[in-house]
Amino acid sequence: MNVVVLVSGRGSNLRAIFEAIDAGTCSAKIVGVVSDRKTAAALDLAAERDVPTRVVPLRKIDGRERWNEQLAEEVGMLGPDLVVLAGFMRVLGAPMLRRFPGRIINIHPALLPSFAGHDGPGDALEAGVRITGCTVHVVDAGVDTGPIIAQTAVPVLGDDTADTLHARIQVQEHRLLPRVIHQIAIGAIELDPLRVNTPVSDASRSLTVPDL
Ligand code: GAR
């Protein structure tokens, strides 16, 4: 299964996928890494492994629709079976969703539907919850709203800061995301029946997910 990974930052999740592939526990091939930021450290990780990289910056002059079209074009040229958002901090629009219907997944550092958005760990801490975690879900047109595939819980500790909490959540992200990718690759999780317009609850029910 050919995977294109979209990144905006450090790339620790990208590294975890590479390492799982190296270890033989994730039967996928990363055929490209695409970023909206040319300074994303994740791009260096890909380049070190001779994986093709592309940068598609969101320019005000082009607007979001055009950016989505450019992104869909670049990602499409890499020929993915699955698109993985691993720390990609932009909301995707219709051109991307139409091009890869039900074939885009995202990792988020909270137990969705709680604490969607750009600061899942900080928002969980602020709300005073005792348990948070990470979620892998199918991407739809909303912000972190698509059908949930898998989650791992992480306790919030009394002396946690947003950074220490995020670091512990990331330990779990690095286990969960490669596992989900592997399960999709071997057909144990089927994304094909999912449609982006299906209500989330129906789409989630139609997902068969093995214990991860
Ligand atoms: C990850 O924790 C991921 O869950 C989060 O960004 C971080 C990227 O880290 N994504 C979101 O918050 C998306 N809403 P990484 O670059 O080290 O993989």
Side-chain angles (χ1 to χ4, degrees):
M1 183 178 70
N2 288 342
V3 176
V4 168
V5 183
L6 269 53
V7 295
S8 298
R10 204 159 61 98
S12 69
N13 278 287
L14 174 66
R15 184 192 296 278
I17 302 166
F18 274 133
E19 287 177 356
I21 292 171
D22 291 347
T25 56
C26 182
S27 312
K29 180 174 182 211
I30 300 183
V31 293
V33 172
V34 180
S35 180
D36 58 318
R37 294 182 50 219
K38 68 173 190 293
T39 53
L43 291 171
D44 301 334
L45 279 181
E48 276 165 23
R49 291 171 178 255
D50 294 324
V51 169
T53 60
R54 307 274 186 275
V55 179
V56 185
L58 172 59
R59 276 188 289 255
K60 268 207 183 106
I61 186 167
D62 294 333
R64 280 192 175 266
E65 182 83 3
R66 181 74 196 110
W67 174 72
N68 261 273
E69 285 165 7
Q70 288 166 345
L71 193 63
E73 221 161 283
E74 290 291 348
V75 174
M77 278 193 291
L78 294 164
D81 301 303
L82 179 74
V83 178
V84 176
L85 311 191
F88 189 68
M89 303 308 272
R90 302 261 182 210
V91 178
L92 298 180
M96 272 297 285
L97 298 170
R98 267 199 311 263
R99 180 79 174 249
F100 309 103
R103 307 297 298 169
I104 309 175
I105 64 171
N106 178 45
I107 179 100
H108 181 73
L111 292 179
L112 294 173
S114 293
F115 313 122
H118 72 279
D119 188 15
D123 291 343
L125 206 58
E126 179 91 352
V129 295
R130 311 307 297 264
I131 294 174
T132 183
C134 53
T135 302
V136 179
H137 67 96
V138 182
V139 172
D140 67 7
V143 177
D144 302 321
T145 49
I148 291 169
I149 300 173
Q151 297 184 302
T152 304
V154 174
V156 180
L157 305 181
D159 58 353
D160 261 335
T161 63
D163 286 346
T164 59
L165 180 56
H166 196 180
R168 283 203 323 288
I169 292 170
Q170 285 215 306
V171 172
Q172 298 307 324
E173 289 187 337
H174 299 160
R175 297 160 56 103
L176 191 65
L177 184 56
R179 284 183 193 180
V180 169
I181 294 169
H182 178 69
Q183 297 294 330
I184 294 170
I186 65 171
I189 298 174
E190 284 185 43
L191 297 182
D192 285 342
L194 294 175
R195 294 286 170 266
V196 276
N197 291 327
T198 307
V200 170
S201 55
D202 291 354
S204 293
R205 266 196 293 277
S206 77
L207 267 175
T208 310
V209 182
D211 287 338
L212 296 164

